[in-house]
Amino acid sequence: MKESTRNQLYKIDRTVRKVLNIVTVLFFVLLITAAFNTPWKQTLVYAFFSVGAAWALLIICRLCLSPFVKSEEEEELEEKVEYVLKNKYPETLRAAQDYSPLCNLTPEQEERVKKLLRDLPSNPNKSDYVYMSYIANYLTALKELGKANLNNVYALQQWIEQETGKRTPDFGHFNEALTNTTDSKVAKAREKIERILQ
């Protein structure tokens, strides 16, 4: 799945979640008020069933989206893992900061490659994030040219953030994007890299 599609689904899921929370409160308020014998009881009963139908549709929508987006629990777990890595294992973080996947390049060529990666477009939906499909194609092209070693994916993710000044998606999506490259786009990236290395 493309990163832009995943981001769109994530936005839809989070919007549906917010609306669902509001509708749930409204649903229970109407349930309580419809139980009382008031002049508006019939209207409240109709409103209750209408809101109930909307509530059911929102739940179905969230269930349909759940295979494609992270749950709140997964996001919390990722944040906790990142917190532990930063605070409990700073040497791991330092090692990642000293890491560079680039190899077999002169210092001048290395700077050109870094500038190329920095100049790639940002994610169209989140301007402070890298556009992973571009980054993945260029990293794969560098690997094919023997100019990068992509084995340490965790350190690679940190390096990309450090060099581009932009954020990357969570580790799972980052790792998945690295393997979902397109041969034609990798070939174009390789041509561009070869030109700047001359």
Side-chain angles (χ1 to χ4, degrees):
M1 183 185 296
K2 289 184 179 178
E3 188 188 355
S4 58
T5 307
R6 189 181 294 113
N7 289 336
Q8 288 288 68
L9 289 175
Y10 179 84
K11 281 183 178 179
I12 292 167
D13 180 70
R14 291 311 182 251
T15 304
V16 168
R17 183 180 72 176
K18 286 177 187 171
V19 174
L20 182 60
N21 290 339
I22 294 165
V23 170
T24 301
V25 172
L26 185 60
F27 180 74
F28 285 107
V29 168
L30 285 170
L31 175 64
I32 293 164
T33 54
F36 294 110
N37 219 357
T38 63
W40 310 288
K41 182 170 182 166
Q42 193 64 36
T43 306
L44 290 171
V45 169
Y46 287 137
F48 168 74
F49 282 112
S50 299
V51 170
W55 185 75
L57 284 172
L58 289 167
I59 287 178
I60 291 167
C61 186
R62 282 214 76 197
L63 288 172
C64 292
L65 289 170
S66 63
F68 308 105
V69 294
K70 290 181 289 182
S71 67
E72 294 84 6
E73 293 81 17
E74 287 174 312
E75 284 185 335
E76 284 177 25
L77 180 63
E78 285 171 4
E79 286 171 12
K80 286 175 184 173
V81 168
E82 197 166 321
Y83 173 81
V84 168
L85 285 171
K86 284 182 179 174
N87 295 297
K88 302 285 183 185
Y89 301 103
E91 66 279 357
T92 306
L93 198 59
R94 275 198 300 277
Q97 287 171 344
D98 296 336
Y99 165 87
S100 174
L102 302 177
C103 56
N104 305 321
L105 294 169
T106 66
E108 187 182 293
Q109 288 175 326
E110 196 168 313
E111 282 308 311
R112 285 187 208 155
V113 169
K114 288 178 182 178
K115 184 180 182 324
L116 174 67
L117 294 175
R118 277 193 297 271
D119 292 344
L120 290 175
S122 298
N123 185 307
N125 299 314
K126 298 177 183 176
S127 59
D128 58 331
Y129 276 74
V130 296
Y131 201 166
M132 269 312 297
S133 59
Y134 280 110
I135 290 285
N137 288 322
Y138 277 87
L139 289 173
T140 302
L142 284 164
K143 181 182 175 184
E144 289 179 0
L145 289 166
K147 304 299 181 184
N149 180 343
L150 310 181
N151 292 339
N152 188 343
V153 181
Y154 175 75
L156 176 64
Q157 182 180 19
Q158 303 300 314
W159 183 81
I160 290 293
E161 289 188 353
Q162 183 183 317
E163 292 302 328
T164 61
K166 296 172 189 168
R167 299 176 67 188
T168 56
D170 64 84
F171 183 76
H173 289 134
F174 181 86
N175 196 23
E176 185 186 336
L178 285 177
T179 58
N180 287 339
T181 54
T182 310
D183 289 343
S184 59
K185 291 179 181 175
V186 170
K188 285 181 184 175
R190 194 166 54 239
E191 287 173 16
K192 194 167 184 179
I193 291 165
E194 285 171 337
R195 279 200 302 273
I196 68 162
L197 293 181
Q198 290 175 351

